[in-house]
Amino acid sequence: MRRYLMALALLLAACAPQATQAPEARPLLKETAFYPATTGLEWVYVPEGEALSSPPYRVRVEGPALYEGQEAVRFRSFGRGEDRVYYRQVGAFGVRLLGFQDPSARVVFTPPILEYPPEALLAVGYRWGGRVTVRVELLTPGGREPLAQGGLSYTMEVLEEREVRLPAGVFQVYRIRQVYQDERGQDAREVWFSPRVGEVRTREGRVLVEKNF
């Protein structure tokens, strides 16, 4: 089953289970954490190169939750038919991704993927990574059905720190290269992270146009 892992990941990324609408984000909240994760925070994105009037994608912190018996924070990503919830742990260790779920499937990483390191370690040239087991289950009216399981390696590297100008403003960011690899091949992406703001460019190539804090 391991050889289907990458193909499944691409399928999940492309699925469009339902259309979603949401009110505009408004500047109401205060946030001071290096890795923002307060309930109610919201980021609004459009794909890089698209007009600002394009239908947006949104990421919203929905609050505490349990995932596979572990305490986590729900980050919901939705828009243009996408509706997915990511389960993360945020603390002195950085940011860990336990897994994610959408209306059709559930993905669990064991151990969790370390998306971001401790705050003090995030600097140009720093690298981290690991190897996890990925378990994928289909969600059906009768419950969960095992679909696939396999290994996944990942490596993250901070390429540079620089200033970028985006629709949402001017930010000092860390450019981070993310490389994921399984037996089918390698997937390399780039994220721009701004401390106390969050991702101003996501791994899907979406850029920040608005936030509510």
Side-chain angles (χ1 to χ4, degrees):
M1 301 292 280
R2 292 177 60 183
R3 64 192 183 89
Y4 297 105
L5 188 58
M6 187 67 75
L8 179 64
L10 293 174
L11 175 63
L12 291 175
C15 69
Q18 62 185 43
T20 309
Q21 298 290 334
E24 293 298 313
R26 295 182 175 86
L28 298 173
L29 305 177
K30 292 183 178 180
E31 177 62 46
T32 59
F34 191 84
Y35 295 122
T38 300
T39 300
L41 298 186
E42 186 171 302
W43 299 260
V44 182
Y45 301 92
V46 297
E48 200 167 23
E50 286 196 9
L52 298 183
S53 58
S54 300
Y57 293 92
R58 301 175 185 274
V59 175
R60 179 181 299 156
V61 182
E62 294 192 329
L66 286 177
Y67 197 67
E68 297 296 305
Q70 298 188 62
E71 293 184 356
V73 179
R74 288 169 53 101
F75 287 75
R76 182 181 172 213
S77 176
F78 57 104
R80 301 194 187 189
E82 175 182 289
D83 195 354
R84 180 173 297 162
V85 177
Y86 294 84
Y87 293 86
R88 295 182 167 98
Q89 295 172 328
V90 183
F93 48 77
V95 181
R96 298 172 181 153
L97 177 63
L98 303 180
F100 62 87
Q101 181 173 310
D102 64 23
S104 62
R106 181 181 180 92
V107 177
V108 180
F109 301 114
T110 307
I113 292 174
L114 184 62
E115 291 186 301
Y116 290 97
E119 172 185 343
L121 297 180
L122 193 65
V124 177
Y126 184 69
R127 298 183 65 183
W128 69 98
R131 182 171 178 81
V132 303
T133 297
V134 184
R135 187 175 83 247
V136 183
E137 301 169 329
L138 288 180
L139 301 180
T140 67
R144 306 183 203 169
E145 295 182 3
L147 179 62
Q149 180 167 310
L152 180 70
S153 298
Y154 68 94
T155 302
M156 316 289 197
E157 181 178 5
V158 183
L159 302 178
E160 69 169 341
E161 182 181 4
R162 65 167 175 151
E163 184 178 273
V164 297
R165 185 177 297 274
L166 298 172
V170 179
F171 303 97
Q172 195 71 19
V173 306
Y174 293 99
R175 287 182 54 229
I176 301 171
R177 176 178 168 86
Q178 300 181 337
V179 179
Y180 292 89
Q181 184 164 1
D182 69 2
E183 62 183 20
R184 290 180 59 87
Q186 180 175 288
D187 179 39
R189 306 288 182 97
E190 186 173 301
V191 170
W192 297 351
F193 173 79
S194 181
R196 298 174 180 81
V197 175
E199 292 181 358
V200 300
R201 183 189 187 276
T202 71
R203 68 188 310 271
E204 297 87 3
R206 303 167 186 171
V207 296
L208 187 68
V209 297
E210 188 181 354
K211 58 186 176 66
N212 70 345
F213 61 98

